[in-house]
Amino acid sequence: MFKKFKIPDATIGRLSMYSRYLIEADKKGITTVSSQHIAKATGVTPAQVRKDLAYFGEFGTRGVGYNSRELYNYIMKILGLNKQWSVAIVGAGNLGRALSQYKGFNQRGFNISCIFDNDPKKIGKKISNINIYSFDSLAEKVKDFNIKLGIIAVPASAAQEVADKLVKAGVRGIINFAPVNITVEENIILRRVDLAAQLEYLTYYLEEI
Amino acid sequence: MFKKFKIPDATIGRLSMYSRYLIEADKKGITTVSSQHIAKATGVTPAQVRKDLAYFGEFGTRGVGYNSRELYNYIMKILGLNKQWSVAIVGAGNLGRALSQYKGFNQRGFNISCIFDNDPKKIGKKISNINIYSFDSLAEKVKDFNIKLGIIAVPASAAQEVADKLVKAGVRGIINFAPVNITVEENIILRRVDLAAQLEYLTYYLEEI
DNA sequence: AATTGTGAACCTCTTCACAGCT
DNA sequence: AGCTGTGAAGAGGTTCACAATT
Protein backbone atom coordinates (compact mmCIF):
# COMPACT_ATOMS: atom_id res chain seq x y z
CA MET A 1 0.00 0.00 0.00
CA PHE A 2 2.44 2.69 1.21
CA LYS A 3 6.19 2.96 0.85
CA LYS A 4 6.45 2.05 -2.81
CA PHE A 5 10.12 2.97 -3.18
CA LYS A 6 13.00 4.84 -1.64
CA ILE A 7 11.93 8.23 -0.35
CA PRO A 8 14.18 10.97 1.06
CA ASP A 9 15.08 10.75 4.72
CA ALA A 10 14.13 14.38 5.12
CA THR A 11 10.61 13.57 4.00
CA ILE A 12 10.06 11.47 7.10
CA GLY A 13 11.08 14.31 9.37
CA ARG A 14 8.72 16.62 7.54
CA LEU A 15 5.82 14.17 7.77
CA SER A 16 6.31 14.32 11.50
CA MET A 17 6.00 18.11 11.41
CA TYR A 18 2.97 18.01 9.13
CA SER A 19 1.17 15.63 11.46
CA ARG A 20 1.76 17.96 14.38
CA TYR A 21 0.26 20.84 12.48
CA LEU A 22 -2.67 18.75 11.29
CA ILE A 23 -3.70 17.63 14.75
CA GLU A 24 -3.63 21.25 15.89
CA ALA A 25 -5.65 22.37 12.88
CA ASP A 26 -8.19 19.64 13.50
CA LYS A 27 -8.49 20.64 17.15
CA LYS A 28 -9.18 24.21 16.08
CA GLY A 29 -11.98 22.99 13.84
CA ILE A 30 -10.13 23.57 10.57
CA THR A 31 -11.38 20.59 8.60
CA THR A 32 -9.70 21.37 5.28
CA VAL A 33 -6.13 22.54 4.72
CA SER A 34 -4.12 23.27 1.61
CA SER A 35 -0.47 22.48 0.94
CA GLN A 36 -0.03 26.22 1.29
CA HIS A 37 -1.30 26.15 4.89
CA ILE A 38 0.78 23.16 5.87
CA ALA A 39 3.82 24.70 4.24
CA LYS A 40 3.48 27.98 6.04
CA ALA A 41 3.04 26.33 9.44
CA THR A 42 6.00 24.03 9.04
CA GLY A 43 8.44 26.26 7.20
CA VAL A 44 8.68 24.43 3.90
CA THR A 45 7.41 25.12 0.37
CA PRO A 46 3.93 24.05 -0.78
CA ALA A 47 5.44 22.00 -3.62
CA GLN A 48 7.54 20.14 -1.09
CA VAL A 49 4.48 19.27 0.96
CA ARG A 50 2.67 17.91 -2.08
CA LYS A 51 5.71 15.98 -3.25
CA ASP A 52 6.22 14.44 0.18
CA LEU A 53 2.61 13.30 0.38
CA ALA A 54 2.62 12.08 -3.22
CA TYR A 55 5.20 9.44 -2.32
CA PHE A 56 2.49 7.63 -0.42
CA GLY A 57 -0.72 8.22 -2.34
CA GLU A 58 -3.26 10.80 -3.36
CA PHE A 59 -4.71 12.18 -0.18
CA GLY A 60 -6.05 15.50 -1.42
CA THR A 61 -8.83 16.79 -3.60
CA ARG A 62 -7.88 19.07 -6.50
CA GLY A 63 -9.33 22.50 -6.15
CA VAL A 64 -10.03 21.87 -2.46
CA GLY A 65 -7.14 20.62 -0.38
CA TYR A 66 -6.75 17.95 2.27
CA ASN A 67 -9.06 16.85 5.04
CA SER A 68 -7.09 17.58 8.23
CA ARG A 69 -8.20 14.62 10.30
CA GLU A 70 -7.95 12.18 7.43
CA LEU A 71 -4.49 13.30 6.35
CA TYR A 72 -3.35 13.19 9.97
CA ASN A 73 -4.47 9.59 10.24
CA TYR A 74 -2.75 8.66 7.00
CA ILE A 75 0.53 10.23 8.07
CA MET A 76 0.44 8.62 11.49
CA LYS A 77 -0.08 5.27 9.82
CA ILE A 78 2.76 5.91 7.37
CA LEU A 79 5.06 6.73 10.30
CA GLY A 80 3.98 3.58 12.10
CA LEU A 81 2.40 5.65 14.87
CA ASN A 82 -1.02 4.06 14.75
CA LYS A 83 0.05 1.95 17.72
CA GLN A 84 2.10 2.16 20.90
CA TRP A 85 5.82 1.45 20.89
CA SER A 86 7.85 0.26 23.84
CA VAL A 87 11.25 1.89 24.21
CA ALA A 88 14.29 1.05 26.32
CA ILE A 89 16.72 3.70 27.44
CA VAL A 90 20.24 2.59 28.23
CA GLY A 91 22.13 4.86 30.58
CA ALA A 92 20.61 6.50 33.64
CA GLY A 93 22.87 9.53 33.63
CA ASN A 94 21.56 13.06 33.16
CA LEU A 95 20.55 12.53 29.59
CA GLY A 96 19.00 9.11 30.10
CA ARG A 97 17.00 10.39 33.05
CA ALA A 98 15.74 13.39 31.14
CA LEU A 99 14.77 11.37 28.11
CA SER A 100 12.91 8.88 30.24
CA GLN A 101 10.75 11.69 31.61
CA TYR A 102 10.41 13.61 28.36
CA LYS A 103 6.69 14.16 27.73
CA GLY A 104 7.16 14.52 23.99
CA PHE A 105 7.69 10.78 23.58
CA ASN A 106 4.46 9.81 25.29
CA GLN A 107 2.49 12.32 23.28
CA ARG A 108 3.50 10.52 20.11
CA GLY A 109 2.78 7.01 21.34
CA PHE A 110 6.16 6.04 22.71
CA ASN A 111 6.23 4.32 26.04
CA ILE A 112 9.52 4.18 27.92
CA SER A 113 9.27 0.70 29.42
CA CYS A 114 12.57 0.44 31.25
CA ILE A 115 15.97 1.94 31.82
CA PHE A 116 19.26 0.07 32.01
CA ASP A 117 22.43 1.03 33.83
CA ASN A 118 25.42 -0.77 35.26
CA ASP A 119 25.76 1.37 38.37
CA PRO A 120 24.73 -0.74 41.40
CA LYS A 121 23.57 2.42 43.15
CA LYS A 122 21.01 3.03 40.42
CA ILE A 123 19.85 -0.51 39.72
CA GLY A 124 16.58 -1.29 41.48
CA LYS A 125 15.62 2.38 41.74
CA LYS A 126 12.97 4.10 39.68
CA ILE A 127 12.76 7.24 37.59
CA SER A 128 9.17 8.47 37.63
CA ASN A 129 7.84 4.94 37.89
CA ILE A 130 10.18 3.43 35.33
CA ASN A 131 12.40 0.69 36.74
CA ILE A 132 16.16 0.78 36.34
CA TYR A 133 17.58 -2.66 35.59
CA SER A 134 21.12 -3.97 35.23
CA PHE A 135 22.78 -4.53 31.88
CA ASP A 136 22.70 -8.25 32.65
CA SER A 137 18.93 -8.35 32.55
CA LEU A 138 18.70 -6.38 29.32
CA ALA A 139 17.99 -9.29 26.99
CA GLU A 140 15.35 -10.67 29.33
CA LYS A 141 13.51 -7.38 29.85
CA VAL A 142 13.65 -6.39 26.18
CA LYS A 143 11.86 -9.62 25.39
CA ASP A 144 9.40 -9.31 28.28
CA PHE A 145 8.32 -5.82 27.26
CA ASN A 146 8.50 -6.59 23.54
CA ILE A 147 10.84 -3.66 23.04
CA LYS A 148 11.84 -2.89 19.48
CA LEU A 149 13.36 0.57 20.03
CA GLY A 150 16.41 1.51 22.06
CA ILE A 151 17.98 4.80 23.07
CA ILE A 152 21.67 4.83 23.87
CA ALA A 153 22.57 7.47 26.45
CA VAL A 154 25.85 6.07 27.78
CA PRO A 155 29.40 7.43 27.41
CA ALA A 156 31.00 7.06 23.98
CA SER A 157 33.28 4.29 25.21
CA ALA A 158 30.34 2.00 26.03
CA ALA A 159 28.06 2.82 23.10
CA GLN A 160 29.10 0.05 20.70
CA GLU A 161 28.85 -2.62 23.38
CA VAL A 162 25.39 -1.43 24.34
CA ALA A 163 24.27 -1.38 20.70
CA ASP A 164 25.43 -4.96 20.25
CA LYS A 165 23.54 -6.02 23.38
CA LEU A 166 20.35 -4.29 22.23
CA VAL A 167 20.47 -5.84 18.77
CA LYS A 168 21.18 -9.29 20.18
CA ALA A 169 18.16 -8.91 22.44
CA GLY A 170 15.89 -8.15 19.50
CA VAL A 171 15.84 -4.36 19.30
CA ARG A 172 15.36 -3.25 15.69
CA GLY A 173 15.86 0.52 15.83
CA ILE A 174 18.38 2.55 17.82
CA ILE A 175 19.02 6.19 18.55
CA ASN A 176 22.57 6.85 19.61
CA PHE A 177 23.19 9.96 21.70
CA ALA A 178 26.82 9.07 22.37
CA PRO A 179 29.20 11.22 20.31
CA VAL A 180 30.77 8.28 18.52
CA ASN A 181 30.20 6.29 15.37
CA ILE A 182 28.77 2.84 16.01
CA THR A 183 27.94 0.10 13.54
CA VAL A 184 25.07 -2.37 13.50
CA GLU A 185 24.00 -5.10 11.12
CA GLU A 186 22.28 -3.91 7.97
CA ASN A 187 18.68 -4.62 8.92
CA ILE A 188 18.86 -2.48 12.07
CA ILE A 189 17.84 1.17 11.77
CA LEU A 190 20.37 3.41 13.43
CA ARG A 191 20.19 7.11 13.99
CA ARG A 192 22.73 9.33 15.63
CA VAL A 193 21.89 12.48 17.56
CA ASP A 194 24.93 14.51 18.50
CA LEU A 195 23.90 17.31 20.84
CA ALA A 196 27.25 19.08 21.02
CA ALA A 197 27.51 18.98 17.22
CA GLN A 198 24.30 20.98 17.05
CA LEU A 199 25.91 23.80 18.99
CA GLU A 200 29.00 23.49 16.81
CA TYR A 201 26.87 24.04 13.77
CA LEU A 202 25.87 27.37 15.28
CA THR A 203 29.40 28.41 16.18
CA TYR A 204 30.63 27.54 12.72
CA TYR A 205 28.30 30.10 11.21
CA LEU A 206 28.82 32.68 13.93
CA GLU A 207 32.57 32.62 13.57
CA GLU A 208 32.31 33.51 9.90
CA ILE A 209 31.32 37.05 10.68
CA MET B 1 41.24 32.28 4.99
CA PHE B 2 38.53 29.67 5.62
CA LYS B 3 34.91 29.49 4.52
CA LYS B 4 35.40 30.63 0.96
CA PHE B 5 31.91 29.73 -0.25
CA LYS B 6 28.81 27.75 0.58
CA ILE B 7 29.58 24.30 1.89
CA PRO B 8 27.12 21.49 2.66
CA ASP B 9 25.49 21.53 6.07
CA ALA B 10 26.36 17.88 6.46
CA THR B 11 30.04 18.72 6.14
CA ILE B 12 29.93 20.65 9.40
CA GLY B 13 28.48 17.68 11.24
CA ARG B 14 31.18 15.48 9.81
CA LEU B 15 33.96 17.90 10.76
CA SER B 16 32.72 17.55 14.30
CA MET B 17 33.06 13.77 14.07
CA TYR B 18 36.48 13.99 12.47
CA SER B 19 37.75 16.23 15.24
CA ARG B 20 36.61 13.74 17.86
CA TYR B 21 38.48 10.97 16.14
CA LEU B 22 41.58 13.11 15.70
CA ILE B 23 41.87 14.04 19.35
CA GLU B 24 41.59 10.37 20.26
CA ALA B 25 44.18 9.40 17.66
CA ASP B 26 46.53 12.08 18.92
CA LYS B 27 46.09 10.88 22.53
CA LYS B 28 47.03 7.37 21.42
CA GLY B 29 50.21 8.69 19.87
CA ILE B 30 49.05 8.29 16.26
CA THR B 31 50.66 11.37 14.75
CA THR B 32 49.69 10.77 11.11
CA VAL B 33 46.32 9.65 9.78
CA SER B 34 45.00 9.10 6.27
CA SER B 35 41.56 9.95 4.93
CA GLN B 36 41.07 6.18 4.99
CA HIS B 37 41.58 6.06 8.76
CA ILE B 38 39.32 9.01 9.45
CA ALA B 39 36.68 7.57 7.16
CA LYS B 40 36.69 4.18 8.82
CA ALA B 41 36.42 5.66 12.31
CA THR B 42 33.57 7.98 11.44
CA GLY B 43 31.58 5.84 9.03
CA VAL B 44 32.00 7.87 5.85
CA THR B 45 33.97 7.38 2.64
CA PRO B 46 37.61 8.50 2.27
CA ALA B 47 36.67 10.68 -0.71
CA GLN B 48 34.09 12.41 1.45
CA VAL B 49 36.67 13.16 4.10
CA ARG B 50 39.04 14.67 1.56
CA LYS B 51 36.30 16.67 -0.08
CA ASP B 52 35.10 18.04 3.26
CA LEU B 53 38.59 19.14 4.23
CA ALA B 54 39.31 20.55 0.78
CA TYR B 55 36.60 23.15 1.28
CA PHE B 56 38.85 24.84 3.79
CA GLY B 57 42.36 24.33 2.54
CA GLU B 58 45.10 21.78 1.90
CA PHE B 59 45.87 20.25 5.25
CA GLY B 60 47.47 17.01 4.14
CA THR B 61 50.65 15.80 2.49
CA ARG B 62 50.31 13.66 -0.64
CA GLY B 63 51.63 10.19 -0.17
CA VAL B 64 51.60 10.65 3.60
CA GLY B 65 48.32 11.84 5.11
CA TYR B 66 47.39 14.37 7.75
CA ASN B 67 49.09 15.30 11.00
CA SER B 68 46.52 14.42 13.67
CA ARG B 69 47.15 17.26 16.07
CA GLU B 70 47.50 19.83 13.34
CA LEU B 71 44.33 18.79 11.53
CA TYR B 72 42.49 18.71 14.84
CA ASN B 73 43.51 22.29 15.52
CA TYR B 74 42.49 23.39 12.04
CA ILE B 75 39.05 21.79 12.34
CA MET B 76 38.43 23.22 15.80
CA LYS B 77 39.27 26.64 14.44
CA ILE B 78 36.98 26.16 11.45
CA LEU B 79 34.15 25.20 13.80
CA GLY B 80 34.83 28.24 15.95
CA LEU B 81 35.82 26.01 18.86
CA ASN B 82 39.19 27.58 19.52
CA LYS B 83 37.53 29.51 22.32
CA GLN B 84 34.87 29.16 25.01
CA TRP B 85 31.22 29.90 24.28
CA SER B 86 28.63 30.93 26.83
CA VAL B 87 25.25 29.31 26.41
CA ALA B 88 21.84 30.05 27.91
CA ILE B 89 19.25 27.35 28.38
CA VAL B 90 15.62 28.45 28.49
CA GLY B 91 13.31 26.03 30.27
CA ALA B 92 14.20 24.24 33.49
CA GLY B 93 12.02 21.21 32.84
CA ASN B 94 13.40 17.72 32.45
CA LEU B 95 15.11 18.43 29.19
CA GLY B 96 16.50 21.81 30.21
CA ARG B 97 17.87 20.37 33.44
CA ALA B 98 19.51 17.46 31.65
CA LEU B 99 21.06 19.64 29.00
CA SER B 100 22.43 22.01 31.61
CA GLN B 101 24.28 19.12 33.21
CA TYR B 102 25.31 17.38 30.01
CA LYS B 103 29.07 16.85 30.10
CA GLY B 104 29.35 16.69 26.34
CA PHE B 105 28.91 20.43 26.02
CA ASN B 106 31.71 21.30 28.40
CA GLN B 107 34.08 18.89 26.69
CA ARG B 108 33.69 20.88 23.49
CA GLY B 109 34.15 24.31 25.03
CA PHE B 110 30.54 25.23 25.74
CA ASN B 111 29.80 26.76 29.08
CA ILE B 112 26.21 26.82 30.27
CA SER B 113 26.13 30.20 31.97
CA CYS B 114 22.53 30.37 33.12
CA ILE B 115 19.08 28.87 32.91
CA PHE B 116 15.81 30.73 32.52
CA ASP B 117 12.34 29.67 33.60
CA ASN B 118 9.11 31.42 34.51
CA ASP B 119 8.16 29.10 37.36
CA PRO B 120 8.56 31.04 40.66
CA LYS B 121 9.36 27.77 42.43
CA LYS B 122 12.42 27.30 40.23
CA ILE B 123 13.67 30.89 39.98
CA GLY B 124 16.52 31.54 42.39
CA LYS B 125 17.42 27.85 42.65
CA LYS B 126 20.46 26.23 41.09
CA ILE B 127 21.10 23.22 38.90
CA SER B 128 24.61 21.97 39.61
CA ASN B 129 25.83 25.50 40.33
CA ILE B 130 24.05 27.15 37.43
CA ASN B 131 21.57 29.81 38.51
CA ILE B 132 17.98 29.76 37.36
CA TYR B 133 16.72 33.24 36.51
CA SER B 134 13.32 34.59 35.53
CA PHE B 135 12.37 35.36 31.95
CA ASP B 136 12.28 39.02 32.93
CA SER B 137 15.99 39.10 33.59
CA LEU B 138 16.87 37.30 30.36
CA ALA B 139 18.03 40.35 28.39
CA GLU B 140 20.14 41.58 31.30
CA LYS B 141 21.85 38.24 31.99
CA VAL B 142 22.45 37.47 28.33
CA LYS B 143 24.36 40.73 28.09
CA ASP B 144 26.19 40.25 31.41
CA PHE B 145 27.44 36.81 30.42
CA ASN B 146 28.04 37.79 26.79
CA ILE B 147 25.84 34.91 25.66
CA LYS B 148 25.61 34.35 21.94
CA LEU B 149 24.03 30.87 21.97
CA GLY B 150 20.63 29.82 23.29
CA ILE B 151 18.91 26.50 23.77
CA ILE B 152 15.12 26.45 23.81
CA ALA B 153 13.74 23.67 26.01
CA VAL B 154 10.26 25.01 26.73
CA PRO B 155 6.86 23.70 25.56
CA ALA B 156 5.97 24.28 21.90
CA SER B 157 3.48 26.98 22.80
CA ALA B 158 6.19 29.21 24.32
CA ALA B 159 9.00 28.53 21.86
CA GLN B 160 8.45 31.44 19.48
CA GLU B 161 8.15 33.96 22.28
CA VAL B 162 11.36 32.70 23.86
CA ALA B 163 13.16 32.83 20.52
CA ASP B 164 12.12 36.44 20.05
CA LYS B 165 13.33 37.31 23.55
CA LEU B 166 16.68 35.64 22.97
CA VAL B 167 17.26 37.37 19.66
CA LYS B 168 16.29 40.72 21.07
CA ALA B 169 18.78 40.21 23.90
CA GLY B 170 21.61 39.61 21.43
CA VAL B 171 21.71 35.84 21.03
CA ARG B 172 22.95 34.93 17.55
CA GLY B 173 22.42 31.16 17.37
CA ILE B 174 19.55 29.05 18.68
CA ILE B 175 18.82 25.37 19.06
CA ASN B 176 15.12 24.69 19.35
CA PHE B 177 14.11 21.47 21.10
CA ALA B 178 10.40 22.32 21.06
CA PRO B 179 8.51 20.31 18.44
CA VAL B 180 7.33 23.34 16.54
CA ASN B 181 8.51 25.52 13.68
CA ILE B 182 9.76 28.90 14.78
CA THR B 183 11.07 31.76 12.70
CA VAL B 184 13.86 34.23 13.37
CA GLU B 185 15.38 37.07 11.40
CA GLU B 186 17.70 36.05 8.62
CA ASN B 187 21.03 36.69 10.30
CA ILE B 188 20.24 34.39 13.24
CA ILE B 189 21.31 30.76 12.96
CA LEU B 190 18.50 28.44 13.95
CA ARG B 191 18.61 24.71 14.30
CA ARG B 192 15.77 22.42 15.28
CA VAL B 193 16.22 19.16 17.17
CA ASP B 194 13.06 17.10 17.36
CA LEU B 195 13.63 14.18 19.70
CA ALA B 196 10.32 12.41 19.09
CA ALA B 197 10.81 12.73 15.34
CA GLN B 198 14.01 10.72 15.72
CA LEU B 199 12.06 7.81 17.12
CA GLU B 200 9.47 8.24 14.38
CA TYR B 201 12.19 7.84 11.81
CA LEU B 202 12.87 4.43 13.31
CA THR B 203 9.23 3.35 13.42
CA TYR B 204 8.73 4.42 9.83
CA TYR B 205 11.33 1.93 8.69
CA LEU B 206 10.30 -0.79 11.09
CA GLU B 207 6.68 -0.69 9.99
CA GLU B 208 7.69 -1.30 6.40
CA ILE B 209 8.52 -4.92 7.13
C1' DA C 1 53.97 2.90 -3.27
C1' DA C 2 50.96 5.64 -1.00
C1' DT C 3 47.95 9.27 -0.42
C1' DT C 4 46.08 13.87 -1.27
C1' DG C 5 43.32 17.20 -3.94
C1' DT C 6 39.91 17.85 -7.45
C1' DG C 7 37.23 18.10 -11.96
C1' DA C 8 33.75 15.33 -13.82
C1' DA C 9 30.18 12.08 -13.41
C1' DC C 10 26.68 10.58 -10.80
C1' DC C 11 22.99 10.52 -7.75
C1' DT C 12 19.53 12.58 -4.78
C1' DC C 13 16.45 16.01 -3.39
C1' DT C 14 13.89 20.32 -4.26
C1' DT C 15 11.49 23.58 -7.01
C1' DC C 16 9.03 24.82 -11.14
C1' DA C 17 5.28 24.90 -14.00
C1' DC C 18 1.34 23.18 -15.74
C1' DA C 19 -2.14 19.56 -16.84
C1' DG C 20 -5.99 17.63 -14.50
C1' DC C 21 -9.84 17.85 -11.26
C1' DT C 22 -13.45 19.92 -8.38
C1' DA D 1 -11.04 30.02 -9.67
C1' DG D 2 -8.46 27.14 -6.81
C1' DC D 3 -5.66 23.45 -5.54
C1' DT D 4 -3.55 18.86 -6.22
C1' DG D 5 -0.37 15.70 -8.46
C1' DT D 6 3.61 15.19 -11.27
C1' DG D 7 7.12 15.19 -15.15
C1' DA D 8 10.90 18.03 -16.08
C1' DA D 9 14.36 21.20 -14.78
C1' DG D 10 17.41 22.78 -11.44
C1' DA D 11 20.28 22.67 -7.37
C1' DG D 12 23.02 20.39 -4.21
C1' DG D 13 25.80 16.77 -2.38
C1' DT D 14 28.56 12.46 -3.00
C1' DT D 15 31.51 9.34 -5.34
C1' DC D 16 34.75 8.30 -8.95
C1' DA D 17 39.01 8.28 -10.97
C1' DC D 18 43.19 10.15 -11.80
C1' DA D 19 46.87 13.72 -11.93
C1' DA D 20 49.99 15.60 -8.58
C1' DT D 21 53.09 14.99 -4.96
C1' DT D 22 56.00 12.89 -1.38
Side-chain angles (χ1 to χ4, degrees):
Chain A
M1 177 192 189
F2 295 141
K3 298 170 197 177
K4 302 163 213 168
F5 40 80
K6 172 68 185 164
I7 62 134
D9 272 16
T11 291
I12 301 163
R14 286 191 297 263
L15 288 178
S16 184
M17 296 199 295
Y18 302 159
S19 70
R20 286 195 165 102
Y21 165 69
L22 290 166
I23 192 74
E24 288 305 314
D26 186 54
K27 270 186 204 165
K28 282 181 199 156
I30 304 165
T31 53
T32 306
V33 296
S34 67
S35 58
Q36 188 92 229
H37 294 140
I38 302 175
K40 199 173 174 195
T42 56
V44 303
T45 65
Q48 182 75 81
V49 172
R50 297 200 298 278
K51 200 60 145 183
D52 283 340
L53 297 174
Y55 285 118
F56 302 99
E58 303 194 5
F59 306 120
T61 309
R62 291 170 194 228
V64 180
Y66 305 89
N67 178 282
S68 309
R69 176 84 61 96
E70 212 172 279
L71 185 56
Y72 172 78
N73 287 332
Y74 275 127
I75 293 179
M76 292 303 269
K77 192 162 184 195
I78 290 165
L79 293 176
L81 300 181
N82 51 340
K83 59 165 189 161
Q84 288 276 124
W85 288 86
S86 295
V87 181
I89 292 179
V90 188
N94 291 318
L95 193 59
R97 283 204 305 276
L99 293 172
S100 59
Q101 295 172 82
Y102 182 57
K103 305 278 194 305
F105 291 146
N106 261 285
Q107 277 162 18
R108 302 286 286 176
F110 297 106
N111 177 38
I112 312 297
S113 302
C114 48
I115 304 164
F116 298 100
D117 204 294
N118 62 357
D119 181 348
K121 276 180 284 210
K122 291 174 182 169
I123 296 165
K125 296 243 170 64
K126 288 185 178 206
I127 295 172
S128 54
N129 270 326
I130 309 164
N131 286 307
I132 303 176
Y133 299 111
S134 71
F135 278 11
D136 294 336
S137 59
L138 192 145
E140 182 197 331
K141 296 295 175 191
V142 163
K143 283 180 186 90
D144 285 357
F145 287 105
N146 189 31
I147 292 169
K148 295 277 170 278
L149 304 173
I151 293 177
I152 297 180
V154 299
S157 55
Q160 181 65 62
E161 188 200 334
V162 166
D164 294 343
K165 262 197 163 70
L166 286 170
V167 171
K168 210 174 163 193
V171 164
R172 303 284 320 284
I174 294 176
I175 298 180
N176 175 29
F177 279 90
V180 68
N181 180 249
I182 61 176
T183 55
V184 290
E185 41 182 293
E186 207 176 328
N187 61 331
I188 305 297
I189 317 298
L190 175 65
R191 205 145 167 94
R192 184 174 162 197
V193 179
D194 188 331
L195 296 174
Q198 303 302 320
L199 279 177
E200 295 172 22
Y201 178 93
L202 304 183
T203 56
Y204 168 77
Y205 282 106
L206 295 186
E207 268 307 88
E208 194 159 16
I209 300 154
Chain B
M1 177 193 187
F2 296 140
K3 300 171 197 176
K4 303 162 212 167
F5 41 80
K6 171 71 185 164
I7 62 132
D9 271 16
T11 291
I12 301 162
R14 286 191 297 264
L15 288 178
S16 184
M17 296 199 295
Y18 302 160
S19 71
R20 286 194 164 103
Y21 165 69
L22 290 166
I23 192 75
E24 287 305 315
D26 186 55
K27 270 186 202 163
K28 283 181 197 157
I30 303 166
T31 53
T32 305
V33 296
S34 67
S35 58
Q36 187 92 230
H37 294 141
I38 301 175
K40 199 174 175 194
T42 55
V44 302
T45 63
Q48 182 76 81
V49 173
R50 297 200 298 276
K51 198 63 144 184
D52 284 339
L53 297 175
Y55 285 116
F56 302 98
E58 303 194 5
F59 306 120
T61 309
R62 292 171 194 226
V64 180
Y66 305 89
N67 178 282
S68 309
R69 174 84 61 99
E70 213 173 278
L71 184 57
Y72 171 79
N73 288 333
Y74 275 127
I75 293 179
M76 292 303 269
K77 192 163 185 193
I78 291 166
L79 293 175
L81 299 182
N82 51 339
K83 59 165 188 160
Q84 287 277 123
W85 288 86
S86 296
V87 182
I89 292 180
V90 188
N94 291 318
L95 193 59
R97 284 205 304 276
L99 292 172
S100 60
Q101 296 172 81
Y102 182 57
K103 306 279 195 303
F105 291 146
N106 261 285
Q107 279 162 18
R108 300 287 286 178
F110 297 105
N111 177 38
I112 312 298
S113 302
C114 48
I115 304 165
F116 297 101
D117 204 293
N118 61 357
D119 181 347
K121 276 181 290 222
K122 292 174 181 168
I123 295 164
K125 297 242 168 66
K126 287 187 178 206
I127 295 173
S128 54
N129 269 325
I130 308 164
N131 286 308
I132 302 177
Y133 299 111
S134 72
F135 278 10
D136 293 337
S137 59
L138 192 145
E140 182 198 331
K141 296 296 175 188
V142 162
K143 283 182 184 89
D144 286 357
F145 287 106
N146 188 31
I147 292 170
K148 294 278 171 277
L149 304 174
I151 293 177
I152 297 179
V154 298
S157 56
Q160 182 66 61
E161 187 200 334
V162 166
D164 294 343
K165 262 198 163 71
L166 285 170
V167 170
K168 209 172 163 194
V171 163
R172 304 282 322 282
I174 294 175
I175 298 181
N176 175 28
F177 279 91
V180 68
N181 180 250
I182 62 177
T183 55
V184 290
E185 41 181 293
E186 208 177 330
N187 61 331
I188 305 296
I189 317 298
L190 174 66
R191 204 147 168 92
R192 184 173 163 198
V193 179
D194 188 333
L195 296 174
Q198 302 302 319
L199 279 177
E200 296 172 21
Y201 179 92
L202 304 183
T203 56
Y204 168 78
Y205 282 107
L206 296 186
E207 269 305 90
E208 193 160 18
I209 298 155

